[in-house]
Amino acid sequence: MRLPPLFFAAITLLAGCRKDPSGKAGQTTPVIQELSPATDGPGALVSIRGSGFGTTLSALTVDFNGQAASLVSANDTLIRVTVPGQATTGKVHVTLNGKQVTSTMDFVVLSGVWTRMADLPAYGRASVVAFTLKGLAYIVSGYNGGGTFQDMYAYDPGSNTWTRKADPPFPGYYRSVGISTATKGYLIGGAVVGSPRTKDLWEYDPDLDQWTRKADFPGSARYSGAGFSIQGKVYFGTGNDGSDLNDWWEYDPGTDTWTRKADFPGAPRSYAMALGFDDHGYLGLGAFYSPTGNDWWKYDPVQDQWSRQADYPGPVQTAYSGCFRIGSKAYISGGQYQACWEFDTQSGHWTQKTSHPTTRLEGIGFALGNTGYLCLGTTEQVFLDRDCWSFNPGQ
């Protein structure tokens, strides 16, 4: 049977309406189904899921409330972009060869900017010890996946440079705790590959670039503890001696003595986050077997009392995160997730900030002035990292 000409014309028209994966003009208008995440800050990676995006980056543009975004990758159902620096809360637009689609929901822009700084001029490492003294940050030792390092570096934020310091007299530790008072740095506990956990306490004098062995920690030998300093005293506890712990101790540098204090009332844990402020400290989160993995506690050294604060609202699996203090606020970032949260010690409230650009296991956090840092550790892309990122929390 001979088909009429109109039949062939219809077939030709239908073929012309099919979407060409090259993203050329004349194709179906793109569709936005989801923004993931729908809340983050400048530089954060965002996935735009939908359909009809094509596969040609040059044919696509994306903007956040009018601010052009940088495209990372694209296929017909997924575009990955970074949030532009001047973005404000509003709609996301995807344009393909002049055809634009708008997200149904607003993208909420958070404050805070992460900036990559100078890499550590040495092998990448995780589980390092860090403390700050007189405007510099010091990192000691660390783990490389099979052994440890017996070295030390100082970071100067003014020149964005690392300087190697005198090698410490002790073996390369990892999962130790670093704490500083106004004049000295301290390394407590930890382990050496192939050796038992330790009770060691070492004091660092930045003026002499010299370490001195002090009175051993009187509790059980452990690694992955937590601590902070308040008004010249050092506080240390939790960690793992084969089992997770919740004991708490005070060290007086003036008398080189330890005193047992009130136990941490939360579940025993290791890898906890801990930060000291002018007259109190905070401890919480970490790696432990408990259904309340987001608890956050305040410690009063005068009353020797703990009080539970507002729970951390971010992802609860925050083991191996990093933390730092800027003014009256605490920041927690890294771990299995990239999220960054700010805790205001005056209001007791948590606020989400711009996510760290990468996941960060067993990195180290510290602050110098009004800038925070999260450095080293391991990521999904690189087993051992040398990179260091600064954080400006903004408003």
Side-chain angles (χ1 to χ4, degrees), residues 225-228 269-275 282-286 296 318-324 331-333:
F228 44 70
R269 68 196 65 195
S270 51
Y271 297 102
M273 299 292 98
L275 292 162
Y282 291 87
L283 188 149
L285 312 181
W296 187 242
T318 51
Y320 318 118
S321 302
C323 61
F324 48 83
Y331 296 85
I332 295 175
S333 185

mmCIF file with all atom_site columns, all heavy atoms in Angstrom, residues 225-228 269-275 282-286 296 318-324 331-333:
data_model
loop_
_atom_site.group_PDB
_atom_site.id
_atom_site.type_symbol
_atom_site.label_atom_id
_atom_site.label_alt_id
_atom_site.label_comp_id
_atom_site.label_asym_id
_atom_site.label_entity_id
_atom_site.label_seq_id
_atom_site.pdbx_PDB_ins_code
_atom_site.Cartn_x
_atom_site.Cartn_y
_atom_site.Cartn_z
_atom_site.occupancy
_atom_site.B_iso_or_equiv
_atom_site.pdbx_formal_charge
_atom_site.auth_seq_id
_atom_site.auth_comp_id
_atom_site.auth_asym_id
_atom_site.auth_atom_id
_atom_site.pdbx_PDB_model_num
ATOM 1   N N   . GLY A 1 225 ? 42.265 11.463 72.156 1.00 0.00 ? 225 GLY A N   1
ATOM 2   C CA  . GLY A 1 225 ? 41.599 12.218 73.207 1.00 0.00 ? 225 GLY A CA  1
ATOM 3   C C   . GLY A 1 225 ? 41.230 13.613 72.719 1.00 0.00 ? 225 GLY A C   1
ATOM 4   O O   . GLY A 1 225 ? 41.300 13.926 71.529 1.00 0.00 ? 225 GLY A O   1
ATOM 5   N N   . ALA A 1 226 ? 40.841 14.477 73.678 1.00 0.00 ? 226 ALA A N   1
ATOM 6   C CA  . ALA A 1 226 ? 40.457 15.852 73.335 1.00 0.00 ? 226 ALA A CA  1
ATOM 7   C C   . ALA A 1 226 ? 40.799 16.752 74.510 1.00 0.00 ? 226 ALA A C   1
ATOM 8   O O   . ALA A 1 226 ? 40.885 16.300 75.663 1.00 0.00 ? 226 ALA A O   1
ATOM 9   C CB  . ALA A 1 226 ? 38.967 15.930 73.020 1.00 0.00 ? 226 ALA A CB  1
ATOM 10  N N   . GLY A 1 227 ? 40.987 18.033 74.220 1.00 0.00 ? 227 GLY A N   1
ATOM 11  C CA  . GLY A 1 227 ? 41.299 18.955 75.300 1.00 0.00 ? 227 GLY A CA  1
ATOM 12  C C   . GLY A 1 227 ? 41.380 20.389 74.846 1.00 0.00 ? 227 GLY A C   1
ATOM 13  O O   . GLY A 1 227 ? 41.254 20.702 73.657 1.00 0.00 ? 227 GLY A O   1
ATOM 14  N N   . PHE A 1 228 ? 41.598 21.287 75.811 1.00 0.00 ? 228 PHE A N   1
ATOM 15  C CA  . PHE A 1 228 ? 41.704 22.720 75.547 1.00 0.00 ? 228 PHE A CA  1
ATOM 16  C C   . PHE A 1 228 ? 42.389 23.362 76.749 1.00 0.00 ? 228 PHE A C   1
ATOM 17  O O   . PHE A 1 228 ? 42.637 22.706 77.777 1.00 0.00 ? 228 PHE A O   1
ATOM 18  C CB  . PHE A 1 228 ? 40.331 23.350 75.309 1.00 0.00 ? 228 PHE A CB  1
ATOM 19  C CG  . PHE A 1 228 ? 39.246 22.912 76.262 1.00 0.00 ? 228 PHE A CG  1
ATOM 20  C CD1 . PHE A 1 228 ? 39.247 23.297 77.601 1.00 0.00 ? 228 PHE A CD1 1
ATOM 21  C CD2 . PHE A 1 228 ? 38.213 22.095 75.830 1.00 0.00 ? 228 PHE A CD2 1
ATOM 22  C CE1 . PHE A 1 228 ? 38.248 22.903 78.475 1.00 0.00 ? 228 PHE A CE1 1
ATOM 23  C CE2 . PHE A 1 228 ? 37.206 21.684 76.683 1.00 0.00 ? 228 PHE A CE2 1
ATOM 24  C CZ  . PHE A 1 228 ? 37.225 22.087 78.008 1.00 0.00 ? 228 PHE A CZ  1
ATOM 25  N N   . ARG A 1 269 ? 33.879 8.430  74.394 1.00 0.00 ? 269 ARG A N   1
ATOM 26  C CA  . ARG A 1 269 ? 34.131 8.648  72.973 1.00 0.00 ? 269 ARG A CA  1
ATOM 27  C C   . ARG A 1 269 ? 35.589 8.956  72.696 1.00 0.00 ? 269 ARG A C   1
ATOM 28  O O   . ARG A 1 269 ? 36.352 9.311  73.600 1.00 0.00 ? 269 ARG A O   1
ATOM 29  C CB  . ARG A 1 269 ? 33.271 9.798  72.457 1.00 0.00 ? 269 ARG A CB  1
ATOM 30  C CG  . ARG A 1 269 ? 33.672 11.169 73.027 1.00 0.00 ? 269 ARG A CG  1
ATOM 31  C CD  . ARG A 1 269 ? 32.582 12.183 72.806 1.00 0.00 ? 269 ARG A CD  1
ATOM 32  N NE  . ARG A 1 269 ? 31.397 11.830 73.553 1.00 0.00 ? 269 ARG A NE  1
ATOM 33  C CZ  . ARG A 1 269 ? 30.188 12.369 73.328 1.00 0.00 ? 269 ARG A CZ  1
ATOM 34  N NH1 . ARG A 1 269 ? 30.027 13.271 72.389 1.00 0.00 ? 269 ARG A NH1 1
ATOM 35  N NH2 . ARG A 1 269 ? 29.158 12.008 74.058 1.00 0.00 ? 269 ARG A NH2 1
ATOM 36  N N   . SER A 1 270 ? 35.941 8.859  71.424 1.00 0.00 ? 270 SER A N   1
ATOM 37  C CA  . SER A 1 270 ? 37.236 9.316  70.926 1.00 0.00 ? 270 SER A CA  1
ATOM 38  C C   . SER A 1 270 ? 36.987 10.265 69.766 1.00 0.00 ? 270 SER A C   1
ATOM 39  O O   . SER A 1 270 ? 35.871 10.377 69.267 1.00 0.00 ? 270 SER A O   1
ATOM 40  C CB  . SER A 1 270 ? 38.101 8.128  70.491 1.00 0.00 ? 270 SER A CB  1
ATOM 41  O OG  . SER A 1 270 ? 37.382 7.282  69.611 1.00 0.00 ? 270 SER A OG  1
ATOM 42  N N   . TYR A 1 271 ? 38.032 10.968 69.366 1.00 0.00 ? 271 TYR A N   1
ATOM 43  C CA  . TYR A 1 271 ? 37.960 11.947 68.272 1.00 0.00 ? 271 TYR A CA  1
ATOM 44  C C   . TYR A 1 271 ? 36.943 13.059 68.537 1.00 0.00 ? 271 TYR A C   1
ATOM 45  O O   . TYR A 1 271 ? 36.336 13.601 67.605 1.00 0.00 ? 271 TYR A O   1
ATOM 46  C CB  . TYR A 1 271 ? 37.607 11.269 66.947 1.00 0.00 ? 271 TYR A CB  1
ATOM 47  C CG  . TYR A 1 271 ? 38.603 10.268 66.452 1.00 0.00 ? 271 TYR A CG  1
ATOM 48  C CD1 . TYR A 1 271 ? 38.360 8.904  66.599 1.00 0.00 ? 271 TYR A CD1 1
ATOM 49  C CD2 . TYR A 1 271 ? 39.776 10.674 65.838 1.00 0.00 ? 271 TYR A CD2 1
ATOM 50  C CE1 . TYR A 1 271 ? 39.258 7.970  66.143 1.00 0.00 ? 271 TYR A CE1 1
ATOM 51  C CE2 . TYR A 1 271 ? 40.689 9.739  65.378 1.00 0.00 ? 271 TYR A CE2 1
ATOM 52  C CZ  . TYR A 1 271 ? 40.432 8.384  65.529 1.00 0.00 ? 271 TYR A CZ  1
ATOM 53  O OH  . TYR A 1 271 ? 41.336 7.460  65.073 1.00 0.00 ? 271 TYR A OH  1
ATOM 54  N N   . ALA A 1 272 ? 36.712 13.418 69.785 1.00 0.00 ? 272 ALA A N   1
ATOM 55  C CA  . ALA A 1 272 ? 35.760 14.483 70.088 1.00 0.00 ? 272 ALA A CA  1
ATOM 56  C C   . ALA A 1 272 ? 36.294 15.833 69.626 1.00 0.00 ? 272 ALA A C   1
ATOM 57  O O   . ALA A 1 272 ? 37.505 16.035 69.485 1.00 0.00 ? 272 ALA A O   1
ATOM 58  C CB  . ALA A 1 272 ? 35.464 14.522 71.582 1.00 0.00 ? 272 ALA A CB  1
ATOM 59  N N   . MET A 1 273 ? 35.374 16.778 69.398 1.00 0.00 ? 273 MET A N   1
ATOM 60  C CA  . MET A 1 273 ? 35.734 18.160 69.120 1.00 0.00 ? 273 MET A CA  1
ATOM 61  C C   . MET A 1 273 ? 35.791 18.908 70.453 1.00 0.00 ? 273 MET A C   1
ATOM 62  O O   . MET A 1 273 ? 34.887 18.761 71.296 1.00 0.00 ? 273 MET A O   1
ATOM 63  C CB  . MET A 1 273 ? 34.695 18.822 68.214 1.00 0.00 ? 273 MET A CB  1
ATOM 64  C CG  . MET A 1 273 ? 34.527 18.175 66.851 1.00 0.00 ? 273 MET A CG  1
ATOM 65  S SD  . MET A 1 273 ? 35.962 18.362 65.774 1.00 0.00 ? 273 MET A SD  1
ATOM 66  C CE  . MET A 1 273 ? 36.777 16.772 66.017 1.00 0.00 ? 273 MET A CE  1
ATOM 67  N N   . ALA A 1 274 ? 36.840 19.708 70.675 1.00 0.00 ? 274 ALA A N   1
ATOM 68  C CA  . ALA A 1 274 ? 36.993 20.420 71.934 1.00 0.00 ? 274 ALA A CA  1
ATOM 69  C C   . ALA A 1 274 ? 37.638 21.776 71.685 1.00 0.00 ? 274 ALA A C   1
ATOM 70  O O   . ALA A 1 274 ? 38.603 21.881 70.920 1.00 0.00 ? 274 ALA A O   1
ATOM 71  C CB  . ALA A 1 274 ? 37.843 19.607 72.916 1.00 0.00 ? 274 ALA A CB  1
ATOM 72  N N   . LEU A 1 275 ? 37.104 22.814 72.348 1.00 0.00 ? 275 LEU A N   1
ATOM 73  C CA  . LEU A 1 275 ? 37.605 24.173 72.173 1.00 0.00 ? 275 LEU A CA  1
ATOM 74  C C   . LEU A 1 275 ? 37.522 24.923 73.491 1.00 0.00 ? 275 LEU A C   1
ATOM 75  O O   . LEU A 1 275 ? 36.518 24.844 74.211 1.00 0.00 ? 275 LEU A O   1
ATOM 76  C CB  . LEU A 1 275 ? 36.777 24.930 71.122 1.00 0.00 ? 275 LEU A CB  1
ATOM 77  C CG  . LEU A 1 275 ? 36.893 24.442 69.676 1.00 0.00 ? 275 LEU A CG  1
ATOM 78  C CD1 . LEU A 1 275 ? 35.736 24.968 68.851 1.00 0.00 ? 275 LEU A CD1 1
ATOM 79  C CD2 . LEU A 1 275 ? 38.220 24.893 69.084 1.00 0.00 ? 275 LEU A CD2 1
ATOM 80  N N   . TYR A 1 282 ? 34.258 23.771 75.512 1.00 0.00 ? 282 TYR A N   1
ATOM 81  C CA  . TYR A 1 282 ? 33.185 22.977 74.909 1.00 0.00 ? 282 TYR A CA  1
ATOM 82  C C   . TYR A 1 282 ? 33.768 21.670 74.387 1.00 0.00 ? 282 TYR A C   1
ATOM 83  O O   . TYR A 1 282 ? 34.896 21.631 73.889 1.00 0.00 ? 282 TYR A O   1
ATOM 84  C CB  . TYR A 1 282 ? 32.521 23.734 73.762 1.00 0.00 ? 282 TYR A CB  1
ATOM 85  C CG  . TYR A 1 282 ? 31.728 24.930 74.222 1.00 0.00 ? 282 TYR A CG  1
ATOM 86  C CD1 . TYR A 1 282 ? 32.343 26.172 74.394 1.00 0.00 ? 282 TYR A CD1 1
ATOM 87  C CD2 . TYR A 1 282 ? 30.369 24.817 74.509 1.00 0.00 ? 282 TYR A CD2 1
ATOM 88  C CE1 . TYR A 1 282 ? 31.632 27.264 74.837 1.00 0.00 ? 282 TYR A CE1 1
ATOM 89  C CE2 . TYR A 1 282 ? 29.643 25.912 74.955 1.00 0.00 ? 282 TYR A CE2 1
ATOM 90  C CZ  . TYR A 1 282 ? 30.272 27.139 75.115 1.00 0.00 ? 282 TYR A CZ  1
ATOM 91  O OH  . TYR A 1 282 ? 29.557 28.219 75.565 1.00 0.00 ? 282 TYR A OH  1
ATOM 92  N N   . LEU A 1 283 ? 32.963 20.614 74.491 1.00 0.00 ? 283 LEU A N   1
ATOM 93  C CA  . LEU A 1 283 ? 33.378 19.306 73.992 1.00 0.00 ? 283 LEU A CA  1
ATOM 94  C C   . LEU A 1 283 ? 32.140 18.542 73.532 1.00 0.00 ? 283 LEU A C   1
ATOM 95  O O   . LEU A 1 283 ? 31.082 18.606 74.165 1.00 0.00 ? 283 LEU A O   1
ATOM 96  C CB  . LEU A 1 283 ? 34.109 18.521 75.078 1.00 0.00 ? 283 LEU A CB  1
ATOM 97  C CG  . LEU A 1 283 ? 34.775 17.206 74.669 1.00 0.00 ? 283 LEU A CG  1
ATOM 98  C CD1 . LEU A 1 283 ? 36.014 16.944 75.522 1.00 0.00 ? 283 LEU A CD1 1
ATOM 99  C CD2 . LEU A 1 283 ? 33.815 16.022 74.790 1.00 0.00 ? 283 LEU A CD2 1
ATOM 100 N N   . GLY A 1 284 ? 32.286 17.818 72.419 1.00 0.00 ? 284 GLY A N   1
ATOM 101 C CA  . GLY A 1 284 ? 31.175 17.009 71.947 1.00 0.00 ? 284 GLY A CA  1
ATOM 102 C C   . GLY A 1 284 ? 31.511 16.310 70.643 1.00 0.00 ? 284 GLY A C   1
ATOM 103 O O   . GLY A 1 284 ? 32.646 16.327 70.169 1.00 0.00 ? 284 GLY A O   1
ATOM 104 N N   . LEU A 1 285 ? 30.475 15.684 70.056 1.00 0.00 ? 285 LEU A N   1
ATOM 105 C CA  . LEU A 1 285 ? 30.593 14.945 68.804 1.00 0.00 ? 285 LEU A CA  1
ATOM 106 C C   . LEU A 1 285 ? 31.647 13.842 68.952 1.00 0.00 ? 285 LEU A C   1
ATOM 107 O O   . LEU A 1 285 ? 31.841 13.318 70.031 1.00 0.00 ? 285 LEU A O   1
ATOM 108 C CB  . LEU A 1 285 ? 30.886 15.879 67.636 1.00 0.00 ? 285 LEU A CB  1
ATOM 109 C CG  . LEU A 1 285 ? 29.996 17.126 67.540 1.00 0.00 ? 285 LEU A CG  1
ATOM 110 C CD1 . LEU A 1 285 ? 30.369 17.952 66.322 1.00 0.00 ? 285 LEU A CD1 1
ATOM 111 C CD2 . LEU A 1 285 ? 28.544 16.760 67.531 1.00 0.00 ? 285 LEU A CD2 1
ATOM 112 N N   . GLY A 1 286 ? 32.322 13.472 67.875 1.00 0.00 ? 286 GLY A N   1
ATOM 113 C CA  . GLY A 1 286 ? 33.351 12.457 67.955 1.00 0.00 ? 286 GLY A CA  1
ATOM 114 C C   . GLY A 1 286 ? 32.893 11.109 67.446 1.00 0.00 ? 286 GLY A C   1
ATOM 115 O O   . GLY A 1 286 ? 31.812 10.962 66.866 1.00 0.00 ? 286 GLY A O   1
ATOM 116 N N   . TRP A 1 296 ? 26.580 18.264 72.550 1.00 0.00 ? 296 TRP A N   1
ATOM 117 C CA  . TRP A 1 296 ? 27.542 19.364 72.674 1.00 0.00 ? 296 TRP A CA  1
ATOM 118 C C   . TRP A 1 296 ? 27.457 19.879 74.107 1.00 0.00 ? 296 TRP A C   1
ATOM 119 O O   . TRP A 1 296 ? 26.360 20.208 74.582 1.00 0.00 ? 296 TRP A O   1
ATOM 120 C CB  . TRP A 1 296 ? 27.191 20.446 71.659 1.00 0.00 ? 296 TRP A CB  1
ATOM 121 C CG  . TRP A 1 296 ? 28.159 21.581 71.517 1.00 0.00 ? 296 TRP A CG  1
ATOM 122 C CD1 . TRP A 1 296 ? 27.908 22.903 71.761 1.00 0.00 ? 296 TRP A CD1 1
ATOM 123 C CD2 . TRP A 1 296 ? 29.510 21.529 71.043 1.00 0.00 ? 296 TRP A CD2 1
ATOM 124 N NE1 . TRP A 1 296 ? 29.010 23.675 71.488 1.00 0.00 ? 296 TRP A NE1 1
ATOM 125 C CE2 . TRP A 1 296 ? 30.012 22.857 71.041 1.00 0.00 ? 296 TRP A CE2 1
ATOM 126 C CE3 . TRP A 1 296 ? 30.347 20.497 70.622 1.00 0.00 ? 296 TRP A CE3 1
ATOM 127 C CZ2 . TRP A 1 296 ? 31.310 23.163 70.636 1.00 0.00 ? 296 TRP A CZ2 1
ATOM 128 C CZ3 . TRP A 1 296 ? 31.638 20.807 70.219 1.00 0.00 ? 296 TRP A CZ3 1
ATOM 129 C CH2 . TRP A 1 296 ? 32.105 22.125 70.224 1.00 0.00 ? 296 TRP A CH2 1
ATOM 130 N N   . THR A 1 318 ? 30.193 12.816 62.473 1.00 0.00 ? 318 THR A N   1
ATOM 131 C CA  . THR A 1 318 ? 31.191 13.865 62.344 1.00 0.00 ? 318 THR A CA  1
ATOM 132 C C   . THR A 1 318 ? 32.548 13.462 62.898 1.00 0.00 ? 318 THR A C   1
ATOM 133 O O   . THR A 1 318 ? 33.364 14.306 63.243 1.00 0.00 ? 318 THR A O   1
ATOM 134 C CB  . THR A 1 318 ? 30.713 15.140 63.049 1.00 0.00 ? 318 THR A CB  1
ATOM 135 O OG1 . THR A 1 318 ? 30.310 14.794 64.381 1.00 0.00 ? 318 THR A OG1 1
ATOM 136 C CG2 . THR A 1 318 ? 29.530 15.749 62.326 1.00 0.00 ? 318 THR A CG2 1
ATOM 137 N N   . ALA A 1 319 ? 32.791 12.162 63.020 1.00 0.00 ? 319 ALA A N   1
ATOM 138 C CA  . ALA A 1 319 ? 34.121 11.725 63.447 1.00 0.00 ? 319 ALA A CA  1
ATOM 139 C C   . ALA A 1 319 ? 35.169 12.232 62.480 1.00 0.00 ? 319 ALA A C   1
ATOM 140 O O   . ALA A 1 319 ? 34.922 12.343 61.282 1.00 0.00 ? 319 ALA A O   1
ATOM 141 C CB  . ALA A 1 319 ? 34.167 10.201 63.507 1.00 0.00 ? 319 ALA A CB  1
ATOM 142 N N   . TYR A 1 320 ? 36.321 12.537 63.003 1.00 0.00 ? 320 TYR A N   1
ATOM 143 C CA  . TYR A 1 320 ? 37.464 12.987 62.200 1.00 0.00 ? 320 TYR A CA  1
ATOM 144 C C   . TYR A 1 320 ? 37.258 14.388 61.622 1.00 0.00 ? 320 TYR A C   1
ATOM 145 O O   . TYR A 1 320 ? 37.881 14.748 60.634 1.00 0.00 ? 320 TYR A O   1
ATOM 146 C CB  . TYR A 1 320 ? 37.768 12.003 61.058 1.00 0.00 ? 320 TYR A CB  1
ATOM 147 C CG  . TYR A 1 320 ? 37.699 10.557 61.431 1.00 0.00 ? 320 TYR A CG  1
ATOM 148 C CD1 . TYR A 1 320 ? 36.789 9.711  60.836 1.00 0.00 ? 320 TYR A CD1 1
ATOM 149 C CD2 . TYR A 1 320 ? 38.559 10.038 62.396 1.00 0.00 ? 320 TYR A CD2 1
ATOM 150 C CE1 . TYR A 1 320 ? 36.717 8.362  61.186 1.00 0.00 ? 320 TYR A CE1 1
ATOM 151 C CE2 . TYR A 1 320 ? 38.492 8.698  62.746 1.00 0.00 ? 320 TYR A CE2 1
ATOM 152 C CZ  . TYR A 1 320 ? 37.567 7.865  62.137 1.00 0.00 ? 320 TYR A CZ  1
ATOM 153 O OH  . TYR A 1 320 ? 37.501 6.549  62.495 1.00 0.00 ? 320 TYR A OH  1
ATOM 154 N N   . SER A 1 321 ? 36.381 15.180 62.234 1.00 0.00 ? 321 SER A N   1
ATOM 155 C CA  . SER A 1 321 ? 36.190 16.550 61.785 1.00 0.00 ? 321 SER A CA  1
ATOM 156 C C   . SER A 1 321 ? 37.328 17.429 62.298 1.00 0.00 ? 321 SER A C   1
ATOM 157 O O   . SER A 1 321 ? 38.217 16.979 63.020 1.00 0.00 ? 321 SER A O   1
ATOM 158 C CB  . SER A 1 321 ? 34.850 17.097 62.299 1.00 0.00 ? 321 SER A CB  1
ATOM 159 O OG  . SER A 1 321 ? 33.775 16.304 61.876 1.00 0.00 ? 321 SER A OG  1
ATOM 160 N N   . GLY A 1 322 ? 37.274 18.712 61.942 1.00 0.00 ? 322 GLY A N   1
ATOM 161 C CA  . GLY A 1 322 ? 38.202 19.699 62.467 1.00 0.00 ? 322 GLY A CA  1
ATOM 162 C C   . GLY A 1 322 ? 37.409 20.823 63.107 1.00 0.00 ? 322 GLY A C   1
ATOM 163 O O   . GLY A 1 322 ? 36.244 21.072 62.756 1.00 0.00 ? 322 GLY A O   1
ATOM 164 N N   . CYS A 1 323 ? 37.995 21.513 64.070 1.00 0.00 ? 323 CYS A N   1
ATOM 165 C CA  . CYS A 1 323 ? 37.298 22.623 64.721 1.00 0.00 ? 323 CYS A CA  1
ATOM 166 C C   . CYS A 1 323 ? 38.278 23.751 65.011 1.00 0.00 ? 323 CYS A C   1
ATOM 167 O O   . CYS A 1 323 ? 39.491 23.539 65.105 1.00 0.00 ? 323 CYS A O   1
ATOM 168 C CB  . CYS A 1 323 ? 36.606 22.167 66.004 1.00 0.00 ? 323 CYS A CB  1
ATOM 169 S SG  . CYS A 1 323 ? 37.707 21.502 67.275 1.00 0.00 ? 323 CYS A SG  1
ATOM 170 N N   . PHE A 1 324 ? 37.749 24.957 65.137 1.00 0.00 ? 324 PHE A N   1
ATOM 171 C CA  . PHE A 1 324 ? 38.557 26.112 65.507 1.00 0.00 ? 324 PHE A CA  1
ATOM 172 C C   . PHE A 1 324 ? 37.651 27.173 66.120 1.00 0.00 ? 324 PHE A C   1
ATOM 173 O O   . PHE A 1 324 ? 36.420 27.124 65.985 1.00 0.00 ? 324 PHE A O   1
ATOM 174 C CB  . PHE A 1 324 ? 39.329 26.677 64.308 1.00 0.00 ? 324 PHE A CB  1
ATOM 175 C CG  . PHE A 1 324 ? 38.522 26.883 63.063 1.00 0.00 ? 324 PHE A CG  1
ATOM 176 C CD1 . PHE A 1 324 ? 37.765 28.032 62.882 1.00 0.00 ? 324 PHE A CD1 1
ATOM 177 C CD2 . PHE A 1 324 ? 38.522 25.933 62.052 1.00 0.00 ? 324 PHE A CD2 1
ATOM 178 C CE1 . PHE A 1 324 ? 37.017 28.232 61.730 1.00 0.00 ? 324 PHE A CE1 1
ATOM 179 C CE2 . PHE A 1 324 ? 37.783 26.111 60.889 1.00 0.00 ? 324 PHE A CE2 1
ATOM 180 C CZ  . PHE A 1 324 ? 37.028 27.267 60.722 1.00 0.00 ? 324 PHE A CZ  1
ATOM 181 N N   . TYR A 1 331 ? 33.655 26.736 65.391 1.00 0.00 ? 331 TYR A N   1
ATOM 182 C CA  . TYR A 1 331 ? 33.345 26.246 64.055 1.00 0.00 ? 331 TYR A CA  1
ATOM 183 C C   . TYR A 1 331 ? 33.757 24.778 63.954 1.00 0.00 ? 331 TYR A C   1
ATOM 184 O O   . TYR A 1 331 ? 34.839 24.395 64.407 1.00 0.00 ? 331 TYR A O   1
ATOM 185 C CB  . TYR A 1 331 ? 34.081 27.066 62.996 1.00 0.00 ? 331 TYR A CB  1
ATOM 186 C CG  . TYR A 1 331 ? 33.636 28.509 62.968 1.00 0.00 ? 331 TYR A CG  1
ATOM 187 C CD1 . TYR A 1 331 ? 34.199 29.440 63.840 1.00 0.00 ? 331 TYR A CD1 1
ATOM 188 C CD2 . TYR A 1 331 ? 32.624 28.925 62.109 1.00 0.00 ? 331 TYR A CD2 1
ATOM 189 C CE1 . TYR A 1 331 ? 33.769 30.759 63.840 1.00 0.00 ? 331 TYR A CE1 1
ATOM 190 C CE2 . TYR A 1 331 ? 32.193 30.237 62.102 1.00 0.00 ? 331 TYR A CE2 1
ATOM 191 C CZ  . TYR A 1 331 ? 32.760 31.153 62.966 1.00 0.00 ? 331 TYR A CZ  1
ATOM 192 O OH  . TYR A 1 331 ? 32.328 32.464 62.977 1.00 0.00 ? 331 TYR A OH  1
ATOM 193 N N   . ILE A 1 332 ? 32.873 23.986 63.338 1.00 0.00 ? 332 ILE A N   1
ATOM 194 C CA  . ILE A 1 332 ? 33.142 22.572 63.108 1.00 0.00 ? 332 ILE A CA  1
ATOM 195 C C   . ILE A 1 332 ? 32.919 22.281 61.638 1.00 0.00 ? 332 ILE A C   1
ATOM 196 O O   . ILE A 1 332 ? 31.883 22.639 61.072 1.00 0.00 ? 332 ILE A O   1
ATOM 197 C CB  . ILE A 1 332 ? 32.226 21.682 63.975 1.00 0.00 ? 332 ILE A CB  1
ATOM 198 C CG1 . ILE A 1 332 ? 32.548 21.888 65.456 1.00 0.00 ? 332 ILE A CG1 1
ATOM 199 C CG2 . ILE A 1 332 ? 32.385 20.214 63.600 1.00 0.00 ? 332 ILE A CG2 1
ATOM 200 C CD1 . ILE A 1 332 ? 31.618 21.157 66.390 1.00 0.00 ? 332 ILE A CD1 1
ATOM 201 N N   . SER A 1 333 ? 33.903 21.647 61.013 1.00 0.00 ? 333 SER A N   1
ATOM 202 C CA  . SER A 1 333 ? 33.800 21.335 59.590 1.00 0.00 ? 333 SER A CA  1
ATOM 203 C C   . SER A 1 333 ? 34.579 20.067 59.309 1.00 0.00 ? 333 SER A C   1
ATOM 204 O O   . SER A 1 333 ? 35.393 19.615 60.116 1.00 0.00 ? 333 SER A O   1
ATOM 205 C CB  . SER A 1 333 ? 34.330 22.492 58.737 1.00 0.00 ? 333 SER A CB  1
ATOM 206 O OG  . SER A 1 333 ? 34.137 22.240 57.363 1.00 0.00 ? 333 SER A OG  1
#
